[in-house]
mmCIF file of all heavy atoms in Angstrom:
data_model
loop_
_atom_site.group_PDB
_atom_site.id
_atom_site.type_symbol
_atom_site.label_atom_id
_atom_site.label_comp_id
_atom_site.label_asym_id
_atom_site.label_seq_id
_atom_site.Cartn_x
_atom_site.Cartn_y
_atom_site.Cartn_z
ATOM 1 N N THR A 4 -52.119 -47.140 -22.456
ATOM 2 C CA THR A 4 -51.582 -46.283 -21.409
ATOM 3 C C THR A 4 -52.109 -44.869 -21.528
ATOM 4 O O THR A 4 -52.188 -44.355 -22.606
ATOM 5 C CB THR A 4 -50.047 -46.287 -21.551
ATOM 6 O OG1 THR A 4 -49.596 -47.665 -21.621
ATOM 7 C CG2 THR A 4 -49.409 -45.583 -20.399
ATOM 8 N N GLU A 5 -52.498 -44.287 -20.401
ATOM 9 C CA GLU A 5 -53.063 -42.974 -20.421
ATOM 10 C C GLU A 5 -52.529 -42.101 -19.295
ATOM 11 O O GLU A 5 -52.320 -42.578 -18.188
ATOM 12 C CB GLU A 5 -54.601 -43.047 -20.358
ATOM 13 C CG GLU A 5 -55.264 -41.713 -20.510
ATOM 14 C CD GLU A 5 -56.829 -41.750 -20.639
ATOM 15 O OE1 GLU A 5 -57.275 -42.855 -21.145
ATOM 16 O OE2 GLU A 5 -57.470 -40.804 -20.212
ATOM 17 N N ASP A 56 -51.525 -27.635 -33.918
ATOM 18 C CA ASP A 56 -51.717 -26.411 -33.135
ATOM 19 C C ASP A 56 -52.261 -26.775 -31.780
ATOM 20 O O ASP A 56 -53.282 -27.445 -31.624
ATOM 21 C CB ASP A 56 -52.750 -25.543 -33.855
ATOM 22 C CG ASP A 56 -52.847 -24.208 -33.129
ATOM 23 O OD1 ASP A 56 -52.208 -23.985 -32.093
ATOM 24 O OD2 ASP A 56 -53.588 -23.326 -33.685
ATOM 25 N N THR A 57 -51.504 -26.385 -30.704
ATOM 26 C CA THR A 57 -51.818 -26.788 -29.343
ATOM 27 C C THR A 57 -52.746 -25.833 -28.644
ATOM 28 O O THR A 57 -53.104 -26.033 -27.480
ATOM 29 C CB THR A 57 -50.542 -26.911 -28.524
ATOM 30 O OG1 THR A 57 -49.813 -25.677 -28.627
ATOM 31 C CG2 THR A 57 -49.685 -28.085 -28.967
ATOM 32 N N ALA A 123 -50.238 -60.722 -59.368
ATOM 33 C CA ALA A 123 -49.279 -61.586 -58.511
ATOM 34 C C ALA A 123 -48.170 -62.186 -59.339
ATOM 35 O O ALA A 123 -48.439 -62.638 -60.447
ATOM 36 C CB ALA A 123 -50.083 -62.608 -57.822
ATOM 37 N N ALA A 127 -48.488 -69.531 -54.641
ATOM 38 C CA ALA A 127 -48.703 -70.300 -53.370
ATOM 39 C C ALA A 127 -47.650 -71.297 -53.281
ATOM 40 O O ALA A 127 -47.285 -71.975 -54.307
ATOM 41 C CB ALA A 127 -50.111 -70.912 -53.356
ATOM 42 N N GLU A 142 -48.877 -48.308 -61.023
ATOM 43 C CA GLU A 142 -49.255 -47.062 -60.286
ATOM 44 C C GLU A 142 -49.525 -45.952 -61.171
ATOM 45 O O GLU A 142 -50.507 -45.219 -61.088
ATOM 46 C CB GLU A 142 -48.229 -46.691 -59.246
ATOM 47 C CG GLU A 142 -48.594 -45.470 -58.416
ATOM 48 C CD GLU A 142 -47.665 -45.208 -57.313
ATOM 49 O OE1 GLU A 142 -46.612 -45.897 -57.145
ATOM 50 O OE2 GLU A 142 -48.025 -44.290 -56.514
ATOM 51 N N ARG A 188 -46.395 -50.397 -43.654
ATOM 52 C CA ARG A 188 -46.016 -49.229 -42.841
ATOM 53 C C ARG A 188 -44.608 -49.372 -42.472
ATOM 54 O O ARG A 188 -44.018 -50.459 -42.314
ATOM 55 C CB ARG A 188 -46.864 -49.222 -41.642
ATOM 56 C CG ARG A 188 -48.371 -48.963 -41.985
ATOM 57 C CD ARG A 188 -49.175 -48.671 -40.713
ATOM 58 N NE ARG A 188 -50.547 -48.247 -41.009
ATOM 59 C CZ ARG A 188 -51.509 -49.015 -41.387
ATOM 60 N NH1 ARG A 188 -51.270 -50.330 -41.435
ATOM 61 N NH2 ARG A 188 -52.717 -48.596 -41.688
ATOM 62 N N LEU A 201 -23.903 -49.974 -52.606
ATOM 63 C CA LEU A 201 -23.089 -50.098 -53.839
ATOM 64 C C LEU A 201 -22.239 -48.858 -53.964
ATOM 65 O O LEU A 201 -22.449 -47.781 -53.464
ATOM 66 C CB LEU A 201 -24.108 -50.245 -55.027
ATOM 67 C CG LEU A 201 -24.929 -51.399 -55.062
ATOM 68 C CD1 LEU A 201 -25.926 -51.324 -56.224
ATOM 69 C CD2 LEU A 201 -24.127 -52.711 -55.041
ATOM 70 N N PRO A 202 -21.087 -49.062 -54.737
ATOM 71 C CA PRO A 202 -20.108 -48.004 -54.866
ATOM 72 C C PRO A 202 -20.725 -46.707 -55.611
ATOM 73 O O PRO A 202 -21.598 -46.930 -56.460
ATOM 74 C CB PRO A 202 -18.984 -48.575 -55.632
ATOM 75 C CG PRO A 202 -19.484 -49.771 -56.268
ATOM 76 C CD PRO A 202 -20.623 -50.309 -55.321
ATOM 77 N N GLY A 231 -28.145 -17.358 -50.507
ATOM 78 C CA GLY A 231 -28.921 -16.339 -49.860
ATOM 79 C C GLY A 231 -30.270 -16.152 -50.507
ATOM 80 O O GLY A 231 -30.596 -16.828 -51.490
ATOM 81 N N GLY A 235 -31.619 -18.467 -56.281
ATOM 82 C CA GLY A 235 -32.031 -19.507 -57.299
ATOM 83 C C GLY A 235 -32.042 -20.923 -56.731
ATOM 84 O O GLY A 235 -32.075 -21.874 -57.507
ATOM 85 N N GLU A 240 -33.734 -26.575 -57.644
ATOM 86 C CA GLU A 240 -34.437 -27.795 -57.147
ATOM 87 C C GLU A 240 -35.488 -28.233 -58.158
ATOM 88 O O GLU A 240 -35.649 -29.380 -58.488
ATOM 89 C CB GLU A 240 -35.024 -27.608 -55.807
ATOM 90 C CG GLU A 240 -34.059 -27.404 -54.614
ATOM 91 C CD GLU A 240 -33.569 -28.622 -53.966
ATOM 92 O OE1 GLU A 240 -33.468 -29.688 -54.610
ATOM 93 O OE2 GLU A 240 -33.213 -28.518 -52.808
ATOM 94 N N ALA A 249 -33.431 -39.065 -62.908
ATOM 95 C CA ALA A 249 -34.074 -39.861 -61.765
ATOM 96 C C ALA A 249 -35.498 -40.314 -62.211
ATOM 97 O O ALA A 249 -36.106 -39.662 -63.063
ATOM 98 C CB ALA A 249 -34.164 -39.000 -60.598
ATOM 99 N N PRO A 297 -47.213 -26.307 -37.359
ATOM 100 C CA PRO A 297 -46.409 -26.543 -36.182
ATOM 101 C C PRO A 297 -45.034 -27.050 -36.488
ATOM 102 O O PRO A 297 -44.799 -27.815 -37.440
ATOM 103 C CB PRO A 297 -47.168 -27.595 -35.396
ATOM 104 C CG PRO A 297 -48.619 -27.414 -35.901
ATOM 105 C CD PRO A 297 -48.487 -27.023 -37.314
ATOM 106 N N SER A 330 -32.699 -25.499 -43.893
ATOM 107 C CA SER A 330 -32.529 -24.562 -42.834
ATOM 108 C C SER A 330 -33.845 -24.474 -41.959
ATOM 109 O O SER A 330 -33.757 -24.265 -40.736
ATOM 110 C CB SER A 330 -32.265 -23.085 -43.397
ATOM 111 O OG SER A 330 -30.978 -23.145 -44.073
ATOM 112 N N TYR A 432 -17.703 -27.510 -54.646
ATOM 113 C CA TYR A 432 -16.771 -28.595 -54.883
ATOM 114 C C TYR A 432 -17.572 -29.872 -54.965
ATOM 115 O O TYR A 432 -18.754 -29.985 -54.509
ATOM 116 C CB TYR A 432 -15.759 -28.690 -53.762
ATOM 117 C CG TYR A 432 -16.280 -28.939 -52.375
ATOM 118 C CD1 TYR A 432 -16.628 -30.245 -51.990
ATOM 119 C CD2 TYR A 432 -16.406 -27.890 -51.459
ATOM 120 C CE1 TYR A 432 -17.083 -30.409 -50.721
ATOM 121 C CE2 TYR A 432 -16.959 -28.144 -50.194
ATOM 122 C CZ TYR A 432 -17.260 -29.360 -49.829
ATOM 123 O OH TYR A 432 -17.794 -29.596 -48.596
ATOM 124 N N GLU A 532 -2.314 -20.586 -79.918
ATOM 125 C CA GLU A 532 -1.297 -20.966 -80.918
ATOM 126 C C GLU A 532 -1.162 -19.836 -81.970
ATOM 127 O O GLU A 532 -0.031 -19.501 -82.357
ATOM 128 C CB GLU A 532 -1.714 -22.266 -81.679
ATOM 129 C CG GLU A 532 -1.511 -23.525 -80.752
ATOM 130 C CD GLU A 532 -2.229 -24.736 -81.311
ATOM 131 O OE1 GLU A 532 -2.574 -24.793 -82.484
ATOM 132 O OE2 GLU A 532 -2.489 -25.658 -80.473
ATOM 133 N N LEU A 565 -22.131 -34.365 -87.477
ATOM 134 C CA LEU A 565 -21.807 -33.355 -88.579
ATOM 135 C C LEU A 565 -21.891 -31.925 -88.144
ATOM 136 O O LEU A 565 -21.064 -31.113 -88.426
ATOM 137 C CB LEU A 565 -22.792 -33.609 -89.760
ATOM 138 C CG LEU A 565 -22.448 -34.889 -90.616
ATOM 139 C CD1 LEU A 565 -23.467 -35.057 -91.699
ATOM 140 C CD2 LEU A 565 -21.013 -34.744 -91.241
ATOM 141 N N GLN A 566 -22.997 -31.666 -87.362
ATOM 142 C CA GLN A 566 -23.153 -30.283 -86.888
ATOM 143 C C GLN A 566 -21.958 -29.890 -85.947
ATOM 144 O O GLN A 566 -21.444 -28.780 -85.990
ATOM 145 C CB GLN A 566 -24.567 -30.176 -86.160
ATOM 146 C CG GLN A 566 -25.680 -30.142 -87.128
ATOM 147 C CD GLN A 566 -27.029 -30.345 -86.418
ATOM 148 O OE1 GLN A 566 -27.097 -31.242 -85.558
ATOM 149 N NE2 GLN A 566 -28.008 -29.514 -86.727
#
Side-chain angles (χ1 to χ4, degrees):
T4 308
E5 184 170 331
D56 187 356
T57 51
E142 181 173 8
R188 293 188 173 81
L201 297 176
E240 296 270 31
S330 298
Y432 62 81
E532 284 164 22
L565 284 176
Q566 287 167 311

